[in-house]
Amino acid sequence: MSAQSSLAGSPVVAEVDFAAKGRQAGHLRVPQSRDDSGWGTIPVPIVVVANGSGPTMLLTAGNHGDEYEGQVALLDLARTLKPEQVQGRVIIIPAMHYPACAAGKRLSPLDGRDFNRCFPGDPFGGFALSLAHYIDSVLLPLCDYQQDLHSGGTGMDIVASTAGHVLDDAGLQAKTLAMADAFNAPVTMLLREVNAGPTLLAQAEARGVVALSSELGGGGRLNPANLAITRRGVANLLRHAGILDGKPEITTPSRRMTVPDLAHYVFAPCDGIWEAADILGSSVEAGAPAGLLHRIEDPTGPAIPLSYAATGLLWCVRHAGRVKVGDPVAVIARDL
Amino acid sequence: MSAQSSLAGSPVVAEVDFAAKGRQAGHLRVPQSRDDSGWGTIPVPIVVVANGSGPTMLLTAGNHGDEYEGQVALLDLARTLKPEQVQGRVIIIPAMHYPACAAGKRLSPLDGRDFNRCFPGDPFGGFALSLAHYIDSVLLPLCDYQQDLHSGGTGMDIVASTAGHVLDDAGLQAKTLAMADAFNAPVTMLLREVNAGPTLLAQAEARGVVALSSELGGGGRLNPANLAITRRGVANLLRHAGILDGKPEITTPSRRMTVPDLAHYVFAPCDGIWEAADILGSSVEAGAPAGLLHRIEDPTGPAIPLSYAATGLLWCVRHAGRVKVGDPVAVIARDL
Amino acid sequence: MSAQSSLAGSPVVAEVDFAAKGRQAGHLRVPQSRDDSGWGTIPVPIVVVANGSGPTMLLTAGNHGDEYEGQVALLDLARTLKPEQVQGRVIIIPAMHYPACAAGKRLSPLDGRDFNRCFPGDPFGGFALSLAHYIDSVLLPLCDYQQDLHSGGTGMDIVASTAGHVLDDAGLQAKTLAMADAFNAPVTMLLREVNAGPTLLAQAEARGVVALSSELGGGGRLNPANLAITRRGVANLLRHAGILDGKPEITTPSRRMTVPDLAHYVFAPCDGIWEAADILGSSVEAGAPAGLLHRIEDPTGPAIPLSYAATGLLWCVRHAGRVKVGDPVAVIARDL
Amino acid sequence: MSAQSSLAGSPVVAEVDFAAKGRQAGHLRVPQSRDDSGWGTIPVPIVVVANGSGPTMLLTAGNHGDEYEGQVALLDLARTLKPEQVQGRVIIIPAMHYPACAAGKRLSPLDGRDFNRCFPGDPFGGFALSLAHYIDSVLLPLCDYQQDLHSGGTGMDIVASTAGHVLDDAGLQAKTLAMADAFNAPVTMLLREVNAGPTLLAQAEARGVVALSSELGGGGRLNPANLAITRRGVANLLRHAGILDGKPEITTPSRRMTVPDLAHYVFAPCDGIWEAADILGSSVEAGAPAGLLHRIEDPTGPAIPLSYAATGLLWCVRHAGRVKVGDPVAVIARDL
Amino acid sequence: MSAQSSLAGSPVVAEVDFAAKGRQAGHLRVPQSRDDSGWGTIPVPIVVVANGSGPTMLLTAGNHGDEYEGQVALLDLARTLKPEQVQGRVIIIPAMHYPACAAGKRLSPLDGRDFNRCFPGDPFGGFALSLAHYIDSVLLPLCDYQQDLHSGGTGMDIVASTAGHVLDDAGLQAKTLAMADAFNAPVTMLLREVNAGPTLLAQAEARGVVALSSELGGGGRLNPANLAITRRGVANLLRHAGILDGKPEITTPSRRMTVPDLAHYVFAPCDGIWEAADILGSSVEAGAPAGLLHRIEDPTGPAIPLSYAATGLLWCVRHAGRVKVGDPVAVIARDL
Amino acid sequence: MSAQSSLAGSPVVAEVDFAAKGRQAGHLRVPQSRDDSGWGTIPVPIVVVANGSGPTMLLTAGNHGDEYEGQVALLDLARTLKPEQVQGRVIIIPAMHYPACAAGKRLSPLDGRDFNRCFPGDPFGGFALSLAHYIDSVLLPLCDYQQDLHSGGTGMDIVASTAGHVLDDAGLQAKTLAMADAFNAPVTMLLREVNAGPTLLAQAEARGVVALSSELGGGGRLNPANLAITRRGVANLLRHAGILDGKPEITTPSRRMTVPDLAHYVFAPCDGIWEAADILGSSVEAGAPAGLLHRIEDPTGPAIPLSYAATGLLWCVRHAGRVKVGDPVAVIARDL
């Protein structure tokens, strides 16, 4: 345990030595006091593979616990990546918001927190804020690249995409787009930085790391096609950065798109069961029917028809049949 | 409100008159005391359409709240069925276990009960038991046929099927199979009656009603193809019973199958993320790989391979990516 | 503690000796296992005052924890009643469903149970069922009279009334009416026995005890006028039974009324804020406006008008401003 | 949806255009992530009526969900106010802390927060903090006047009052008093600004808005007399500001009072049932009995007498019968 | 999985064949439906070792999840017992109420049930009742002997004891005492059968099985001395029954004692912190001080002194410092 | 109530006057809004004894609610300390985090907060933060000395110790060590200040108060030997400060120790039941067995052996038998 390192300001302790070469597996040990274990910790698995010289890439999944493609792709990578394959350093955290991952839930069963709204964190603010603070203040400064692997979760199904922000820094923007091109998801989603919220992606950008988020499926399940895209995308990123040998495998170039405003969302005006008119990935037109909202409280009244207010790709659809007022049931993307 | 009828032994009151002709929409008013409403009730919507002479069919959905094909098909029927189309009587309850339906959950948010383990009920045992008692003691005695529309729910995805029991009464068995043939789902699943548990189906059989359950999809979503099967199946049943004019629309005859024992299940031996080897509806072989169980607590250990122990149709698969120890991840059916 | 008595079949132990003369105060000790106290008990205060010869009356309050007139009237009686005033025996339980009383809630904070749906109980079914079983099997057989003191609780406000059932046994019926006349609440409410449910009143009647329930106010508060009615009513009952000297103090004779059917209820058809058209105790007409239901989700749509469907006394009104679908907002009584 | 406006720093989006003339109804769409809806929102209804030139008044109710007079008065106003009646702009939010209003609770069912301790908010701190941040940073800067309509809630009953702070800024103080005079509630309560806490009122004052809070009844119910005061008060404010034509309707001038210190409170020294000696609005004397606290755990011990420690108007009384240690059971106001 | 056996009436399936010889390890698979896994099961580990001819003994621990000596002793036995050592059959369930054991709690985290109040169970009544039904209806009929290994749990510390009932059947009584003598715990506690409640022990007795319960320590911890007593006691039982070779190892003969009535308990009259006057196993006198109850709400009032009301062995003491009203803080045993 | 004092910035009000001489008992009245009591408060008992001239010492216990030696020692002191014994001022808060103390839990039942991670607090951040803010901003500035009395709580048992930090300020360090010597616990634990977290101790040090924490036993119980150490230690501190007459009673000098790094901890690598190899206070060697972790899910697999990674005193052991992954099961201290 001599590899354990503690950093001023954080109570999180790593069982791996980020400066060492070779392959290490251990945990980030995050304090979590319980009534029956005042000094309890939650160990978050981490794998570091380092060799020779080259950049550092932080690969994370399980930011939300019910998004599975990234978790499985990184578990595979953690099992198989060998130091001799690597030039540089790969830090892999396959199940980052560990209590949410163990529960298969988006939000933490400890306190209901959304980990991706916890940055830059607080060292003594509880598990999620404490871990976010460690990742921001200890890990991100070590990194050249960061990829945070999301999917749509239990509620939404999304066309497999990487996701980045429109950035003021043209240089960082170009590197981000090159990274997204290398990942080669079907869609590259670019969103305005404004109102990004306190996410890991925004924090990585603020620290000058070339960084992407992603949406690689959803519906609360592990989709085999999206898992394949994710595995290849991760390998492509490592090749793109020069950490692995070889060139990224590119199939069809990724389609660069955006969701410009709230008019590209369809929201449920009341609770009900959503019957979509179109399947994920369809081309849809403003004014066309988006689907019907069926209300169980009124079986003799009509179902409520909703329409699209924008034209484009049906990029995201409601997966779960039951919706609550205010839930998005469709999100449309347009080409940049 | 003169149509309200109360029956000795049950505190549930119906706002419809089951003896009247024509089309009525109202509620079953089930007492549910709250801290801030001692005499509160939960009104469960019910629609009755009766005309001329003919049999009575009880159509129910929302036995589990996260199973949507049946709910939407019955909401459609409740909106559109006209007395003049009918010979006999159709009683429609589209969202039976109403609190679970309103929450989009399998189990009740009131007390965690599984409504399909509540029969024959208890008039003062709380919402679910009280409603089950009313359905058993008041509605089933009115019925010749009963179809309870289930899907696989949030956790499982299932090949669209009707489901019945192997019965000792050959006459009732023959009528049940004829009813299933008329519904014409891709699969007719026949299970041993032993250990059926206190379900609505078992209770209907015990009262001599020709009755079926079903599994019409799953994954926590409304699947358009399965919704079409369900809508057609419900219309076919009404035609089969002579309540609607015409003959059932039959496409490919339904495949009669069974799940004979626990060897046809694959259970998760520990918590993990399930990566299935095959898609729903595949033909699979005993001994072949069923998939991999990925363990987030041990990113450097191998994923756990599971195999099938029986040969047949992959009738049911785990939808949700995260599984807990003891969860079935696959169920295999064989032809009868 | 030699006065402790245990009876076969019940784990409840009384610290008072029901056969002894004089004044005793102690507890009914009801087992309630907790994670940190496997053999924990909940002590329910009980006071017994006995002297000479005469009948036994069981006085109970706190069947529902948020009904206060009876609790305070019985606490006063328990503090002040002296053996030398008594001929016979008075058993006083001022806060019967103790966990609910301590919380000021209708239902138990332990398990959500409504104590007045727990009879005849179950000795090992948990606190409420175990206590109900003890009251039914041990206390009721000791009694000639039983008065259970209710009010309307947090949700409802009710014209101060005693309440009994229409009984098949004419002799018991006559004694019940005489007891209600002696209590002399403004209203005597008589309800059909059918569907009474598993209440203390129904159980007392089944054991041949002359018994009444009551509704002595409500709104979740202690109403001084109703407290005065309750104090006088309790003293009147003891005089009526000959346990206390003197005659009942009668002011205006009690008005005998009933609520014949569901048409005498007005139910909320959806959630909202209830603005009543009339105050408690008004005379209202079928067809007249009962009030407006204001919907916060739709501030530009109209408030929903509701009407009475029966003519009579506005016997019960919704107190709490916020109502849920299915809540009664008004109950009308008519004279017998 | 072209009227939607988003402001840097807040994820809340308005469906109304605050710069437009005429009558608009829409929502403030506040993000609220759920396990089954990562991008879910809670839409808070808002109505804007603008015409000609004149000041802007923000009218809010439902800061606490169990205070009804304000909610109903603003729903009425939102339904009926026409642009042609207005000179200036009226922004109406009838059910501000929407989840609490829908539950009829003071505190949020989402996280237990008291909305009136959430200012100036935090854009990504969860529903309540996010909405508070939007109201403070987007709406208050648009306003000349702000009235936040409170009542006493489930626990307390209060003499109908507007409430303001003693302010250092004499000009703002004078305008505040004039506004309170125009509202013309029976009492105008003036409290020291010190320790006001992070309320909407304090935040409005900090931004230089002429602002009032209020206490317009309570007991968890909608009191018709207080609703009439509130409706008239709101109309009076609009007339006072010149937004509506005409003069405020003044009956008896409002009595200016204060609660100077903790000696004007009576606190429960232990749990019990509160029997008050006086009714709301009485004149009471220091040293006189305030009431009795009845203890259910000790039916033979005496009730605990409490006394007033100050002389004045019994401005606020405990409504709910059950009190916990530390609850105020009476608050006395004295004339300024 | 051909060893799986299902029995009419129970949905529980065993993965072991109770009729087979040799050593088998598997699970009792008990259905437990979840919102995200309708057909989920909880597998309860079970080990069966059978050889030659001889009696059957069922050894169980984890009836309450926070009692550890029995769980560890049976885990050891399950790891080490070889068929060739055995004449007869040993059925070992080391962690019977599995969800409570996994949580380290007395009561179930699923529904708060005390497993030892669940007999004879209900096949479809939920996990605990379903498992109890299986144990009663399937396992007990296979058995000649049954030992259920308890300790005092989180709240109580108890002198290591076996525990049985005073039985009407003299033959069964003699065999029970012989079994207890063989176990050779320091104390043999004999309690009246009356009011035993629906425990596993009472159910085993009802089926004519020679059966014991036990109390082998407590305080929520694993006590090494008590673990040694338990390991030796279990081996002694197997020798006593002739299943293992050899004679029971007897040290000091076990002291036969009883707790005759409630006067042998000291109960807390209010909440507080318990400071005991004596340590576990002391000889105490009626009238002597039992300890002090410290009340945090009143730091200047005196601590409350409690006294013993009986003379004997201080057999059980409150472990946890904080007590609630009604908790036993001491139990005294006297010699038979 | 004229002694009540309020300080700008805090809503907490003290019923005692810290500037007055003599003995006062009252409360810190901390606002805690409930749904049924908007202006509710939680009164935290406080006792102040002041006389003549001399330093001020703040004595606190119940920072964690399940740590009892300090609570009882301070309740005793609060009952018995007389002004005439004192030169200076003693402020005693025996049950500081009052809701946790009343529940006997480490963390707050209100919001799960650990009070010792709440400093320097937030006046309107809820009960714990509000009280922490008051203690920091109002009480600590009055103090020369502060002793916060902890034990190990429900989960851990610890050799009785005072605990302080290694401080940069040599003068403060010397005074701290002298204070610890005077307390004369068996061990004085000195820990690095780095990562101390937002504790009361760290906050007291930041304000220049001579301050100590402590660990005076544990296991969720009141240990008589540790209570004696605590009572004597508290009296010693008052003598050391010159507040009480006399010299500290010193037995064996306290052993100064530290826990230098994570290698001195043994953590559970998975859930299980912990069987320790050594008892608290043993001398242990690096590499020696620390104990066995028994896994109930795998009764035929081996128990997991854990070893110490450091040599020293077994200063802290897991008390509770059930452990979760990441829990410390042993902490080793070495001499300074």
Side-chain angles (χ1 to χ4, degrees), chain D residues 51 53 57 102 146 178 181 224 242 249 255 277 295 317 324 335:
Chain D
N51 190 45
S53 63
M57 183 178 292
Q146 206 275 312
D181 288 345
E249 283 178 30
R255 189 173 169 186
R295 301 180 65 238
V317 297
K324 286 193 192 298
D335 290 299

Side-chain angles (χ1 to χ4, degrees), chain B residues 66 105-107 114 154-155 158 195 197-198 215 262-263 265 267 315-316 318 324-328, chain E residues 1 4 6-11 13 15 29 32-43 124:
Chain B
D66 60 347
K105 299 276 186 192
R106 176 181 182 84
L107 308 174
D114 182 334
T154 302
I158 307 182
N195 295 343
E215 302 292 350
L262 223 60
Y265 287 76
F267 287 105
W315 177 66
C316 166
R318 177 76 186 170
K324 286 194 192 297
V325 55
D327 284 343
Chain E
M1 289 221 271
Q4 289 167 346
S6 165
L7 282 112
S10 173
V13 181
E15 293 173 351
R29 201 167 279 284
Q32 175 65 23
S33 194
R34 302 196 313 274
D35 276 330
D36 71 340
S37 186
W39 301 343
T41 68
I42 295 179
F124 297 99

Side-chain angles (χ1 to χ4, degrees), chain B residues 1 4 6-11 13 15 29 33-43 124, chain C residues 66 105-107 114 154-155 158 195 197-198 262-263 265 267 315-316 318 324-328:
Chain B
M1 288 223 271
Q4 288 168 345
S6 165
L7 282 112
S10 173
V13 181
E15 293 173 351
R29 200 168 281 284
S33 194
R34 302 195 314 273
D35 276 330
D36 71 340
S37 185
W39 301 343
T41 67
I42 294 178
F124 296 99
Chain C
D66 60 346
K105 300 276 186 193
R106 176 182 182 84
L107 308 175
D114 182 333
T154 301
I158 306 183
N195 295 343
L262 223 61
Y265 287 75
F267 287 105
W315 178 66
C316 166
R318 177 77 187 170
K324 286 193 192 298
V325 55
D327 285 343

Side-chain angles (χ1 to χ4, degrees), chain A residues 246-271:
Chain A
K247 297 238 163 185
E249 284 179 28
I250 304 297
T251 56
T252 312
S254 185
R255 188 173 169 185
R256 291 190 187 166
M257 309 193 79
T258 193
V259 177
D261 58 31
L262 223 59
H264 287 68
Y265 287 75
V266 181
F267 287 105
C270 62
D271 292 10

Side-chain angles (χ1 to χ4, degrees), chain C residues 100-122:
Chain C
C101 293
K105 300 276 186 193
R106 176 182 182 84
L107 308 175
S108 175
L110 297 176
D111 56 9
R113 282 193 185 274
D114 182 333
F115 189 64
N116 215 26
R117 299 295 178 280
C118 288
F119 288 84
D122 172 351

Side-chain angles (χ1 to χ4, degrees), chain F residues 35-108:
Chain F
D35 276 329
D36 70 340
S37 186
W39 300 342
T41 67
I42 294 178
V44 179
I46 186 169
V47 171
V48 183
V49 184
N51 189 46
S53 63
T56 293
M57 182 178 292
L58 171 63
L59 294 166
T60 53
N63 185 321
H64 295 127
D66 60 348
E67 302 174 6
Y68 300 108
E69 284 80 3
Q71 294 183 55
V72 170
L74 294 192
L75 286 168
D76 283 348
L77 188 72
R79 271 194 287 266
T80 57
L81 191 65
K82 295 176 189 150
E84 56 269 29
Q85 298 172 297
V86 165
Q87 286 295 323
R89 181 168 51 174
V90 188
I91 303 173
I92 309 168
I93 309 177
M96 185 162 48
H97 196 191
Y98 195 82
C101 293
K105 300 275 186 193
R106 175 182 181 84
L107 308 175
S108 174

